[in-house]
Amino acid sequence: MAGACVMKKVIIGDCELYLGDCLERMKEIPDGSVDLIITSPPYFNARAYSSYATYKEYLGFISDVVENAYRVLKEGRFFCINTSAVIEARLSRNERSQRYNIPADVHALMSNYWFVEELVWVKPIGAGCGRNRGFNVHRHPIQWKATPHTERIGVYQKPTKKLNDHIIREYERHTVNGAPDGEVWEISPARSKTHTAVFPLKIPENLINLYSWPNDVVLDCFMGSGTTGLAAKNLNRKFIGIEKDAGYFEIAKQRIEEVV
């Protein structure tokens, strides 16, 4: 799908959907007005919609997103960011490929936040691309590579002078049902003909359930096809979504219109 340079805002019930670059559109969100951020940034040069000249440029962009997220997030509330290691393919047989540990590098950008959790999203082993074609033929030492089938969800809290107990008392009593037991979440990836890296609905539903109250405002600054928005509406939360690709934006708009 082709990227979009135009900007548009659509309101569907208590959902606000923004078409445009997230750094520009986040400027329209007031300081400290968001209760929870759940997002999955584009993979570094691993998808057609994610192309950066260098890895340093990519991390600079993510750093700007993290800084803007800090401004719009309320004190004491949570930012959940999903990332995974990626491989930059080698240009020829005589060159090396390069693998980047994006979760670790993104964590280093989160120094203004408090670290809370690193959740491991585990997919079935066949969900990841195999990296062992050479090893399976020759079986030489140092040739083996793990088949990737996990992603990392970093959970961070915006610092506050309040204890979590004090924050909880500011809201009407609400209990969480159906919470996961541990930090490893075994969830099959979602499949879509319209998006190459769609989020499974269960992941944002879990995060919204665990880190927000009904009627809270949930932001996804890389909305894609709108899965976080669907989860927010399923759980009676307000939603703000930002997406720069006009095609994905329209898909998200249609999906959210159906549930609203």
Side-chain angles (χ1 to χ4, degrees):
M1 294 187 181
C5 295
V6 299
M7 295 204 297
K8 179 169 69 172
K9 177 179 177 180
V10 175
I11 297 178
I12 307 169
D14 55 10
C15 298
E16 298 179 8
L17 308 185
Y18 293 84
L19 173 63
D21 179 83
C22 70
L23 295 178
E24 291 299 317
R25 301 315 304 256
M26 286 174 76
K27 294 176 182 177
E28 302 173 46
I29 302 174
D31 294 2
S33 61
V34 171
D35 299 288
L36 174 64
I37 300 174
I38 299 173
T39 200
S40 182
Y43 300 93
F44 170 65
N45 292 0
R47 306 286 180 182
Y49 54 78
S50 172
S51 180
Y52 299 85
T54 64
Y55 185 58
K56 182 178 180 180
E57 178 186 308
Y58 172 77
L59 289 181
F61 169 67
I62 299 299
S63 178
D64 290 341
V65 172
V66 167
E67 183 178 340
N68 276 271
Y70 189 92
R71 178 186 64 80
V72 303
L73 190 62
K74 291 179 181 177
E75 288 188 7
R77 304 309 298 271
F78 287 69
F79 181 4
C80 307
I81 182 166
N82 178 78
T83 56
S84 69
V86 298
I87 299 171
E88 189 173 37
R90 57 186 176 181
L91 299 177
S92 71
R93 290 287 299 173
N94 295 323
E95 298 184 63
R96 282 181 174 269
S97 59
Q98 179 67 50
R99 194 167 191 225
Y100 296 100
N101 189 350
I102 294 178
D105 291 333
V106 168
H107 174 72
L109 301 176
M110 306 293 294
S111 58
N112 286 341
Y113 297 78
W114 291 335
F115 171 71
V116 179
E117 304 282 0
E118 184 184 56
L119 304 172
V120 183
W121 169 22
V122 179
K123 312 170 192 178
I125 193 68
C129 59
R131 301 172 61 212
N132 270 323
R133 284 176 293 183
F135 177 78
N136 290 336
V137 174
H138 305 291
R139 306 192 73 81
H140 296 150
I142 79 168
Q143 197 174 25
W144 180 86
K145 299 178 179 67
T147 297
H149 67 116
T150 66
E151 300 194 20
R152 301 296 190 272
I153 304 167
V155 180
Y156 300 88
Q157 185 176 18
K158 183 173 178 177
T160 178
K161 294 180 180 179
K162 301 176 183 178
L163 296 176
N164 283 357
D165 287 346
H166 296 162
I167 297 172
I168 291 169
R169 285 199 291 269
E170 293 175 355
Y171 294 85
E172 291 186 13
R173 181 173 176 79
H174 175 72
T175 54
V176 174
N177 296 313
D181 289 326
E183 60 191 7
V184 176
W185 293 3
E186 296 184 6
I187 300 174
S188 295
R191 302 296 181 189
S192 172
K193 296 180 180 179
T194 58
H195 197 290
T196 56
V198 66
F199 230 13
L201 185 63
K202 187 63 176 175
I203 289 178
E205 283 187 339
N206 279 353
L207 296 172
I208 290 168
N209 203 24
L210 295 172
Y211 297 119
S212 70
W213 280 264
N215 296 312
D216 273 356
V217 176
V218 178
L219 167 66
D220 187 347
C221 38
F222 299 101
M223 176 175 63
S225 59
T227 303
T228 300
L230 293 184
K233 295 318 303 168
N234 289 344
L235 295 169
N236 192 28
R237 271 66 164 177
K238 300 169 186 175
F239 178 66
I240 301 174
I242 305 173
E243 175 55 46
K244 73 174 184 178
D245 186 286
Y248 294 149
F249 179 88
E250 290 301 321
I251 293 167
K253 174 176 170 290
Q254 292 170 14
R255 295 177 76 197
I256 292 171
E257 280 177 338
E258 290 177 0
V259 296
V260 171

